[in-house]
Amino acid sequence: MAHESLPGNRIRVWYRPMRPRDSAEGHRVSTPLELLFDLCFVVAVGQAAAQLHHALSEGHLGHGVLSFAMVFFAIWWGWLNFSWFASAFDTDDVPYRLATLVQIAGGLTVAAGVDKAFEGDFTIVVIGYVLMRLAAVTQWLRAARQAPEARPTAYFYAAGITLCQILWIVRLALPGTSGLIGFFVLVVLELAVPVLAERRSGTAWHPHHIAERYGLFTLIVLGETVLSATNAVKEGIAEGEHTGELVSLAAAGLVLVFSMWWLYFDQPGHARLERGNSLRTALSWGYGHYLIFGSAAAVGAGLELAVGFDSGQAHVSGVVTALAVTIPVAVFLLSVWLLHIGPTNECRPIAIGFPAAAVLVLAASFGPAPIHVTAVLAAVLVGVTVIATHGEREPG
């Protein structure tokens, strides 16, 4: 193990064997490199949300939603694979850091290609995606060489990921509908790689670490939502008209985001992972966050659309504007319910409250002040959750 002494008796490790980390390791927290990874990837999330808003405001609803879902998959899947690998094999030495920085560069390349992707040209997105995925392959090959107990799984990951990247490049040559079908086929193949690989011998991911990683990404996506909505309100107020409506909308949006944060973090994610303690639980929880991350980002685009509607700039109806917020909020509530609460949760008020609130949120789309009503419903659900789960006095 090569190293160099630093002031304060710290040791900088240049290289250490890549072995599985202890899944029960104490005080396992996200590293500065992981935080940098998240920070750079939120740039891509912001680009995707901005393009979704633009498409919706121009009335291109189906195209905008489909393009957002496709681009967001590239962002989310790259982030997910890095996070789970890091939970199991993070050595934090120089080769590991360099490979991670290449993955970050790939993520930023994806961000640079979002605009073109919404126009139908996924070339830049695929280049960035393949770059970060092949950098992940080098990590798996290193794990295969240096961790004999994980060798079959690591080689399967490396081979499966490489095959998928070749097929992503080939897909660029497919026209129209064939390319769209090819996209969904490749998504299924990508999702199948961890399922098949982990059945050989599971990697040693850390429940608390994984829950923290997902929580941090949820935070920065919600932060991007706040930023998008704030900028939209700022632009609207600068025009000097509709100030009262925009301030009211900003307040409702803030309550909504605060409520989404509260509801997600009220139940610790690691508890669900530890209770399930199975590959099926890990996969459903990990994969299911595509809906949580994507819906949280889409709420920001919907709030921007609402600002444009109140300012007279959006070319869509009031119902469409409302649905641009209420649908992602409903998806967020249902996803958090399924992943963190569960339909059979012994606390019936919240087990029933989440799906009931989602239905009421969708219904609010067709009534007066739909976004304000949605914010109130989310806040009420927070109140129900607080009372149902923390209302009893602790003994003593």
Side-chain angles (χ1 to χ4, degrees):
M1 183 187 300
H3 58 79
E4 163 183 274
S5 296
L6 294 175
N9 296 322
R10 291 188 298 131
I11 299 295
R12 170 181 291 151
V13 177
W14 294 100
Y15 179 84
R16 58 162 60 96
M18 181 173 279
R19 296 292 180 82
R21 296 185 61 158
D22 183 1
S23 59
E25 178 182 344
H27 306 291
R28 181 75 189 278
V29 297
S30 297
T31 66
L33 182 59
E34 289 174 318
L35 299 179
L36 176 64
F37 194 94
D38 293 352
L39 183 63
C40 292
F41 263 64
V42 79
V43 175
V45 173
Q47 290 294 314
Q51 287 303 310
L52 174 61
H53 162 248
H54 179 72
L56 294 178
S57 63
E58 294 296 324
H60 306 309
L61 308 181
H63 170 75
V65 172
L66 179 61
S67 298
F68 175 79
M70 294 170 70
V71 168
F72 201 85
F73 172 81
I75 301 167
W76 165 76
W77 192 240
W79 178 89
L80 178 148
N81 279 269
F82 164 77
S83 298
W84 287 80
F85 180 89
S87 190
F89 292 104
D90 184 2
T91 57
D92 198 32
D93 59 4
V94 171
Y96 177 86
R97 290 186 175 188
L98 292 176
T100 299
L101 294 177
V102 173
Q103 291 180 71
I104 291 175
L108 293 175
T109 304
V110 169
V114 168
D115 292 7
K116 287 288 187 181
F118 271 74
E119 297 172 3
D121 182 2
F122 279 79
T123 303
I124 298 176
V125 168
V126 169
I127 290 173
Y129 180 79
V130 170
L131 177 62
M132 63 179 173
R133 299 296 282 133
L134 291 182
V137 169
T138 66
Q139 300 277 50
W140 281 114
L141 290 175
R142 184 181 171 197
R145 290 194 305 271
Q146 299 173 2
E149 64 274 35
R151 187 163 295 155
T153 299
Y155 275 136
F156 191 94
Y157 268 111
I161 294 170
T162 301
L163 175 61
C164 286
Q165 304 326 296
I166 294 172
L167 294 176
W168 280 115
I169 295 172
V170 171
R171 177 197 164 272
L172 289 175
L174 298 178
T177 305
S178 298
L180 184 61
I181 294 173
F183 173 85
F184 289 108
V185 170
L186 282 170
V187 166
V188 172
L189 291 177
E190 287 273 22
L191 295 175
V193 171
V195 175
L196 298 175
E198 293 291 332
R199 285 179 176 174
R200 295 170 175 267
S201 60
T203 51
W205 51 273
H206 193 291
H208 286 262
H209 179 246
I210 285 294
E212 183 190 33
R213 298 291 297 120
Y214 275 71
L216 288 172
F217 202 71
T218 301
L219 280 176
I220 60 175
V221 172
L222 288 175
E224 178 59 35
T225 295
V226 172
L227 177 61
S228 299
T230 301
N231 288 337
V233 171
K234 179 181 177 182
E235 291 175 7
I237 292 177
E239 296 179 1
E241 299 181 1
H242 311 287
T243 302
E245 294 95 326
L246 293 177
V247 170
S248 175
L249 182 61
L254 199 59
V255 170
L256 181 56
V257 172
F258 287 170
S259 299
M260 292 168 67
W261 167 83
W262 195 304
L263 294 169
Y264 180 87
F265 287 99
D266 188 71
Q267 298 290 319
H270 66 84
R272 190 71 184 270
L273 289 171
E274 289 175 331
R275 280 200 305 270
N277 194 27
S278 68
L279 175 60
R280 181 178 179 180
T281 299
L283 289 172
S284 61
W285 194 90
Y287 286 9
H289 270 74
Y290 171 84
L291 296 175
I292 290 180
F293 296 156
S295 61
V299 167
L303 290 174
E304 282 192 85
L305 184 65
V307 171
F309 180 82
D310 284 354
S311 304
Q313 300 172 355
H315 302 118
V316 293
S317 68
V319 172
V320 170
T321 301
L323 288 171
V325 176
T326 58
I327 288 178
V329 169
V331 171
F332 182 89
L333 294 178
L334 289 174
S335 301
V336 172
W337 174 61
L338 289 171
L339 299 181
H340 282 191
I341 308 299
T344 60
N345 193 291
E346 60 183 14
C347 184
R348 301 314 293 166
I350 63 172
I352 298 172
F354 273 77
V359 171
L360 291 174
V361 163
L362 290 175
S365 307
F366 306 97
I371 295 175
H372 295 75
V373 173
T374 297
V376 170
L377 288 170
V380 168
L381 182 58
V382 169
V384 170
T385 301
V386 170
I387 294 171
T389 58
H390 304 290
E392 297 182 2
R393 289 182 176 273
E394 293 186 3

